[in-house]
Amino acid sequence: MTTGTFISFEGIDGSGKSTQASMLADHLQRIGYDPVLTREPGGSPGAEEIRALVLQGDPDRWSAETELLLFTAARRDHLERLIQPALAQGKIVICDRFADSTRMYQGLSRGDLRSTVDALHDLMIRREPDLTLLIDMDPTEGLARARSRQGIEERFEDFGTDLQIQMRAGFLDLAQEFSDRFRVIDGARAIDQVARDVTATVIKHLQT
Ligand code: ADP
Ligand code: TYD
């Protein structure tokens, strides 16, 4: 039994998820909540080790199937060690990406693996967020923002604009498929404007 609230941010690379997740955590803290801010892949020590394996190196380092197993292993560890215990304490967990990213990146990007993704999710994860904020924006601009960070975690960014275009459309489809928990936020605005929209959406959810 969980009693807290599980919120995820989704969207293409560079759409502003990390920025918005952290601003939301700050805002909730200011108004008296005790949120837990986390991310995937990662969020627990073991999952952070897997993160380095999946996000660094050549784009063809792993097949889509191997990647799916690695992301799912990381998620299971994150769920067991951080997310479920925090929810059981009644906290708000804010997660930068969750299983919807696997549905997109492993399920859609290289062949149709969606049914395998769903089967593994049912077997090993089973939990969905209570609220998912999709930060939607133009793929080319998103990629430009992501590349301007110039980090070493560029394996997915190296797949390029075509992947971003496919992912944006896929996320919007997912928002319809799971319309009960998805809210689409226009990410092509100034940071503060997006943040106001995010906050209003979350507060509304917390009050229902
Ligand atoms: P994501 O986590 O979705 O990849 P980030 O939050 O890391 O995105 O943002 C990517 C880059 O774009 C960062 O340099 C960030 O400062 C910048 N950024 C985020 N939101 C906006 C925005 N609304 N307008 C302009 N730049 C933004
Ligand atoms: P992230 O650090 O959120 O990247 P960004 O800030 O650029 O959006 O995630 C890194 C990459 O991992 C991202 O390109 C998407 C990919 N990813 C998957 O392929 N499957 C998954 O299940 C998750 C959580 C992420």
Side-chain angles (χ1 to χ4, degrees):
M1 263 308 278
T2 55
T3 52
T5 304
F6 183 19
I7 300 172
S8 66
F9 279 84
E10 294 286 357
I12 58 174
D13 293 336
S15 57
K17 297 176 300 298
S18 316
T19 305
Q20 294 300 328
S22 127
M23 287 174 82
L24 175 65
D26 288 348
H27 181 85
L28 291 175
Q29 190 104 47
R30 275 198 303 277
I31 61 172
Y33 290 97
D34 182 19
V36 174
L37 177 61
T38 187
R39 67 168 182 183
E40 290 210 344
S44 61
E48 289 289 333
E49 288 191 37
I50 297 175
R51 180 181 177 98
L53 290 176
V54 286
L55 296 193
Q56 297 175 27
D58 287 346
D60 61 0
R61 182 177 185 185
W62 308 108
S63 71
E65 288 84 353
T66 313
E67 232 170 63
L68 168 60
L69 291 166
L70 289 168
F71 277 110
T72 307
R75 179 162 306 127
R76 173 79 195 206
D77 190 64
H78 186 205
L79 199 62
E80 284 176 7
R81 290 167 197 263
L82 185 102
I83 298 175
Q84 280 170 340
L87 291 173
Q89 289 172 16
K91 294 192 176 174
I92 299 176
V93 175
I94 302 168
C95 193
D96 186 350
R97 295 192 184 278
F98 193 66
D100 296 311
S101 281
T102 314
R103 293 186 172 102
M104 288 298 100
Y105 289 84
Q106 284 68 50
L108 194 67
S109 70
R110 281 174 286 164
D112 184 7
L113 279 186
R114 175 67 193 276
S115 57
T116 313
V117 170
D118 286 342
L120 199 55
H121 180 84
D122 288 347
L123 203 60
M124 284 296 156
I125 308 296
R126 288 186 296 275
R127 171 83 206 203
E128 301 293 351
D130 301 305
L131 176 67
T132 298
L133 300 164
L134 172 57
I135 310 293
D136 177 57
M137 70 171 300
D138 175 68
T140 313
E141 201 180 320
L143 196 58
R145 280 192 200 167
R147 286 193 168 137
S148 73
R149 285 182 305 214
Q150 294 200 327
I152 52 166
E153 294 179 340
E154 287 180 344
R155 206 177 136 244
F156 281 81
E157 282 151 27
D158 288 345
F159 284 108
T161 312
D162 288 351
L163 178 75
Q164 290 270 93
I165 292 170
Q166 194 188 12
M167 293 299 102
R168 184 206 196 172
F171 273 122
L172 288 169
D173 287 345
L174 217 51
Q176 294 202 331
E177 185 179 341
F178 298 106
S179 59
D180 52 332
R181 67 177 165 88
F182 261 86
R183 298 292 173 268
V184 181
I185 308 278
D186 175 8
R189 296 174 291 168
I191 290 179
D192 287 346
Q193 273 180 296
V194 181
R196 268 198 293 280
D197 210 353
V198 166
T199 305
T201 306
V202 169
I203 297 294
K204 190 171 166 204
H205 178 89
L206 292 174
Q207 287 169 346
T208 54

